Amino acid sequence: MSDIINFNLSELVLNIKNKKISSTEITKAYVERSDKSKHLNSYNEETFDEALKKANEFDSKPDFNKMLPGIPIAVKDLFCTKNIKTTASSKILDNFIPTYESTVTQNLWNQGAILLGKLNCDEFAMGSSNETSYFGNVISPIDKNLVPGGSSGGSASALAAKLTPATIGTDTGGSIRQPASFTGTVGLKPTYGSCSRYGIVAFASSLDQAGPMTRNVKDSALMLEIISSFDDKDSTSINFKRPNYTKDLSINIKGKKIGIPKEYRVDGMSKEIENLWENGKNYLKDCGAEIIDISLPHTKFALPTYYIVAPAEASSNLARYDGVKYGFRNEGENLIDMYEKTRSEGFGDEVKRRIMIGTYVLSSGYYDAYYLKAQKVRRLIKNDFDNAFQSVDAILTPSTPSSAFKIGEKLNDPVSMYLNDIFTVPVNLAGLPGISIPAGLDKKGYPLGLQIIGKAFDEQNILNIAYSMEDKINFKFDIKDWWIK
Amino acid sequence: MVFKYHMTIDLKTIKHISKLSRISVDDKKAKKLADDLNSIFKWIEQLNELNTEKVDPLSSIAETKLRLRKDEIKSENTREEILKNSPDENKDFFVVPKVVE
C-alpha cells in the first residue's frame, strides 16, 4: 500500500485498530522509504531490522488498547535508548550505548510504539540549522540547498519527508518550533516540567523540554498526551493533573482573548512575515477570538539573556564528558592532559564556543556581571508574560523571522544564527508552552510558521487555538520526492 | 547603578577559560575564539541598559522546593552496566593515567 506513508499518525492508529493495516505493513513502508532517503542524512542510527521484528511480534499478538498500537516512530538522537547507540550527534558520545531508557521514549513504547531509529540533530542540540552535527548536516526535503532548521533538524527533515509518521524533539530555545516552522510541520514545546528530562542528554537543564513534532495539531495532542507524565526520576518534573488532550481537542475558541505583542514587530521584519502575522489575526477573528494588543517590554533582552544562561548551564552539564567513564577518550601524558585532549577533540566548534562562554560568565569576577544579571533579566521577562496573561488567554507571534535559509549561509556568523530564535527563546526563559503551526509560504515557496504561546500548563488551550487556525488556514504543501532516485 | 565592563577578551583570557574548561586550544584557534567571543559579548552587553538592582534572580521556572525521596534501594548489582561504556578495556575499574607519582 503506497498510501501508507500519506496517512497521518491519527489515521494510522485508526486504521490499525480497525485491522485495515498491520503494523508490519506500516513499518515496512517507512523502512523502505527511509532506506531510499539516505541523501537527507536525517538518521544517525537505523534500527530497521529490530523494528520489523517488533512489528511482526505486535501483529501476532496485537493490543489495540494501546494509543500507538504497533506504530513505528523515529526519535531525536538526544533521547537515551536502552542498548541502542545514543550520540547527541557528538564525537564524544560516538560509541555510547545507554543501559537505560529515557522516560519520554519509554512512554512511547509503553503505548505500543516501535523505534525506527535515532535522528540527527545539532551537536548537543546546540544550533539552529543542524549544521553542527558530527555526522554532517541534514538536508531539508524541501530543497537540496536548504537547512531543515535545528536543533531537531533530523526530526523535522524525517517528518516532512515522511520517513516517520511523527517524532519527538527537544526544545531549549526553539529547537522544536523553528525546524517545524522551516519544514511546514507542527512542533510543540510543552510547559517546563511537563515531560520528564530523565534520560535526555542535558544541554541547559532549566530550559530543556521534550515535545512532539507532527504533521498536524491532532497528532500533536495525541503525542503530548503520551509523553507528558510526572516522573520521580526528574527532580523538576511537575505533578499536575494532565488532561486528555485529544479528547478535549476542540475548534471552539469563541471569546478567547489573543494578545499581539508589539515588541515582536522587530526592526527589519519582512513584509511577508508581517502579512503572515496579519493573516493569523484574521483567522483568529474568523474563529470568534478577540485580538488584543499587548506589550512584553523586555523582549529584546531575551536572546542575550539566553546566551548567558544556556551556555552557563551547558558548561556545567558538559563537564561530565571527561573521557573517564564513557564516550570518546584521547590519551594524554597525564590526567589533565587527557581531559584537555579528549574534550578538545571530542567536542565540535559550536559546543566548545558555548562551553567557553559559559565558563567565562560563571568564572570568578564575572559571575555577578553576567550570570546573575541574566538571571535577573530572566525574571523581568517572565514577569512580562505574567502581566500579559492577566488580560489574554494566549499570544500569537510569528515562529521565526524568516523562512529556512541556505546551508552554510549563517555558519560563520554566530550572532546572526542566534537571531533565528528571537521569537522562541523568550518562551523557554519563561517556561511556557508554545506551538508552531504552518501558516503560509513565502515568495520562494518555503513554509512559514505562526507560534501560539500559552499560560503554564495550558497546552489544551494552545492546542485548541492551533486546531481551529489549522482548520481555517488549510495549509497544503506538497514535497516532491526529488531525493529518491 | 548600571554595570559597565570593559569588554575585550584577549588571548590571555582565552587561555584562562581554556584551562578552566579543560579544553586545549592552540594559538590559531584561540585567535578565532577571541574574535567570536568578543562579537558575542558585545551583543550581550545590551543587558547593561537595564537596571536590575531590585530584581530577584530567577534560576528555575519550577520554583518549588526540591522533593525528597525515601532512601531506598531501587536497583542493585549495576556494576557491570556502569562499567560497560568505559573507554578502557579493564572490566573492574575505571582506569585513568597515573595521578600519584
Side-chain angles (χ1 to χ4, degrees):
Chain A
M1 268 174 96
S2 62
D3 46 344
I4 285 180
I5 56 143
N6 293 318
F7 285 126
N8 62 46
L9 181 66
S10 304
E11 288 166 347
L12 278 181
V13 171
L14 199 68
N15 273 299
I16 210 163
K17 285 190 176 183
N18 292 337
K19 297 178 193 162
K20 295 238 171 73
I21 326 176
S22 69
S23 172
T24 302
E25 284 173 300
I26 299 171
T27 309
K28 255 192 185 152
Y30 278 105
V31 165
E32 276 169 20
R33 190 171 169 84
S34 296
D35 227 5
K36 284 189 272 185
S37 303
K38 294 192 195 296
H39 179 76
L40 301 176
N41 199 26
S42 45
Y43 278 88
N44 281 350
E45 183 80 1
E46 297 165 342
T47 54
F48 297 162
D49 292 344
E50 189 63 19
L52 289 165
K53 216 176 97 193
K54 287 223 169 102
N56 192 33
E57 280 166 25
F58 178 87
D59 288 333
S60 61
K61 222 180 135 196
D63 180 353
F64 297 117
N65 291 319
K66 304 275 192 199
M67 292 167 82
L68 296 173
I71 307 282
I73 284 180
V75 303
K76 186 177 186 178
D77 198 14
L78 210 68
F79 296 94
C80 284
T81 39
K82 192 172 179 174
N83 297 330
I84 291 156
K85 202 160 86 163
T86 299
T87 69
S89 291
S90 181
K91 181 178 181 180
I92 215 156
L93 282 174
D94 189 20
N95 56 6
F96 179 62
I97 298 171
T99 55
Y100 53 91
E101 185 80 27
S102 86
T103 299
V104 160
T105 46
Q106 189 60 53
N107 288 347
L108 291 177
W109 322 141
N110 288 349
Q111 287 302 330
I114 293 169
L115 177 69
L116 259 181
K118 308 293 291 289
L119 299 170
N120 204 338
C121 55
D122 279 298
E123 186 181 2
F124 284 102
M126 296 179 192
S128 307
S129 62
N130 214 123
E131 289 168 287
T132 71
S133 166
Y134 175 60
F135 305 108
N137 66 289
V138 172
I139 290 166
S140 170
I142 295 166
D143 187 299
K144 66 178 179 353
N145 297 314
L146 275 194
V147 302
S151 70
S152 309
S155 296
S157 175
L159 177 66
K162 296 182 177 165
L163 315 184
T164 180
T167 181
I168 47 174
T170 59
D171 188 317
T172 304
S175 283
I176 286 174
R177 289 159 290 159
Q178 185 254 24
S181 176
F182 278 10
T183 53
T185 55
V186 175
L188 170 68
K189 183 204 90 77
T191 309
Y192 185 79
S194 301
C195 297
S196 170
R197 291 183 297 107
Y198 176 77
I200 301 176
V201 177
F203 164 12
S205 302
S206 81
L207 301 162
D208 297 343
Q209 259 301 284
M213 299 172 76
T214 53
R215 294 185 199 170
N216 61 37
V217 176
K218 194 177 171 190
D219 290 355
S220 185
L222 174 63
M223 289 287 280
L224 180 65
E225 199 170 316
I226 294 165
I227 63 174
S228 174
S229 66
F230 172 68
D231 185 10
D232 236 357
K233 289 185 272 194
D234 171 2
S235 64
T236 58
S237 175
I238 295 170
N239 200 354
F240 67 100
K241 171 115 184 44
R242 286 160 168 83
N244 296 324
Y245 297 108
T246 40
K247 193 172 139 268
D248 296 335
L249 197 63
S250 157
I251 54 164
N252 182 9
I253 57 160
K254 223 170 165 297
K256 290 279 179 200
K257 296 188 174 77
I258 314 291
I260 306 295
K262 64 168 190 255
E263 291 80 6
Y264 279 57
R265 196 171 299 283
V266 290
D267 288 346
M269 181 184 261
S270 74
K271 195 80 198 145
E272 287 172 317
I273 300 287
E274 263 185 52
N275 290 342
L276 179 87
W277 203 3
E278 204 51 43
N279 291 342
K281 284 193 246 177
N282 291 330
Y283 291 131
L284 284 167
K285 282 186 202 155
D286 288 349
C287 297
E290 190 188 336
I291 302 296
I292 296 174
D293 288 325
I294 57 163
S295 173
L296 299 167
H298 297 92
T299 298
K300 78 161 191 164
F301 301 105
L303 267 179
T305 300
Y306 176 85
Y307 275 95
I308 294 176
V309 172
E313 294 183 15
S315 77
S316 163
N317 270 328
L318 272 60
R320 73 190 69 177
Y321 303 103
D322 57 4
V324 173
K325 300 173 292 303
Y326 48 80
F328 168 78
R329 173 188 288 193
N330 200 354
E331 298 299 343
E333 285 165 24
N334 52 48
L335 188 65
I336 303 287
D337 194 43
M338 184 198 85
Y339 290 153
E340 291 186 343
K341 283 187 173 149
T342 296
R343 290 165 63 78
S344 176
E345 207 174 299
F347 292 131
D349 285 343
E350 180 63 24
V351 172
K352 282 192 271 196
R353 185 152 59 208
R354 295 206 199 183
I355 291 175
M356 296 189 85
I357 294 171
T359 305
Y360 184 61
V361 300
L362 291 174
S363 68
S364 171
Y366 297 96
Y367 183 92
D368 284 1
Y370 290 115
Y371 188 60
L372 197 64
K373 178 86 189 180
Q375 286 191 317
K376 288 177 169 193
V377 182
R378 185 174 182 187
R379 165 89 57 197
L380 296 175
I381 291 161
K382 182 177 181 287
N383 290 350
D384 282 356
F385 281 106
D386 288 348
N387 291 337
F389 282 126
Q390 304 265 326
S391 54
V392 296
D393 300 301
I395 295 168
L396 180 78
T397 77
S399 302
T400 54
S402 71
S403 64
F405 46 89
K406 290 209 159 58
I407 294 164
E409 192 180 322
K410 293 179 196 276
L411 206 53
N412 294 319
D413 184 357
V415 173
S416 139
M417 185 71 94
Y418 298 168
L419 286 171
N420 246 286
D421 297 328
I422 192 160
F423 301 136
T424 48
V425 150
V427 180
N428 298 73
L429 288 171
L432 302 170
I435 187 169
S436 173
I437 56 166
L441 300 174
D442 72 356
K443 57 177 180 283
K444 289 175 278 187
Y446 301 155
L448 296 168
L450 283 170
Q451 173 181 235
I452 303 141
I453 306 167
K455 297 174 185 171
F457 309 111
D458 207 11
E459 277 82 349
Q460 188 73 62
N461 188 36
I462 59 168
L463 280 164
N464 287 355
I465 293 167
Y467 196 42
S468 66
M469 288 184 77
E470 182 182 54
D471 187 51
K472 293 272 180 223
I473 293 169
N474 194 22
F475 182 79
K476 292 264 188 294
F477 185 58
D478 202 22
I479 293 180
K480 305 266 177 293
D481 295 351
W482 56 267
W483 65 90
I484 296 178
K485 297 280 179 316
Chain B
M1 194 189 88
V2 176
F3 284 104
K4 207 76 198 168
Y5 273 80
H6 175 63
M7 259 323 310
T8 323
I9 297 171
D10 54 17
L11 288 180
K12 205 179 134 209
T13 313
I14 293 288
K15 290 284 176 192
H16 178 61
I17 310 171
S18 146
K19 183 168 167 265
L20 289 177
S21 54
R22 295 279 184 261
I23 296 174
S24 63
V25 176
D26 63 35
D27 289 346
K28 203 179 135 216
K29 280 238 160 132
K31 175 78 183 63
K32 167 92 171 68
L33 260 171
D35 291 347
D36 284 349
L37 262 56
N38 276 319
S39 82
I40 292 165
F41 277 99
K42 200 177 140 210
W43 170 71
I44 283 175
E45 287 287 290
Q46 57 180 297
L47 292 183
N48 291 331
E49 289 169 31
L50 287 172
N51 185 338
T52 50
E53 221 177 325
K54 293 197 176 100
V55 183
D56 280 336
L58 177 70
S59 54
S60 172
I61 288 300
E63 277 185 294
T64 46
K65 255 170 67 183
L66 287 181
R67 291 187 302 277
L68 295 175
R69 60 165 175 78
K70 288 212 175 75
D71 186 18
E72 55 193 22
I73 296 165
K74 284 189 177 162
S75 53
E76 288 179 80
N77 300 326
T78 52
R79 190 170 91 145
E80 244 176 69
E81 281 183 30
I82 289 166
L83 287 163
K84 206 181 126 197
N85 280 288
S86 167
D88 197 277
E89 291 295 309
N90 190 306
K91 294 292 173 223
D92 295 317
F93 304 98
F94 292 120
V95 179
V96 295
K98 198 170 167 187
V99 179
V100 184
E101 290 301 325

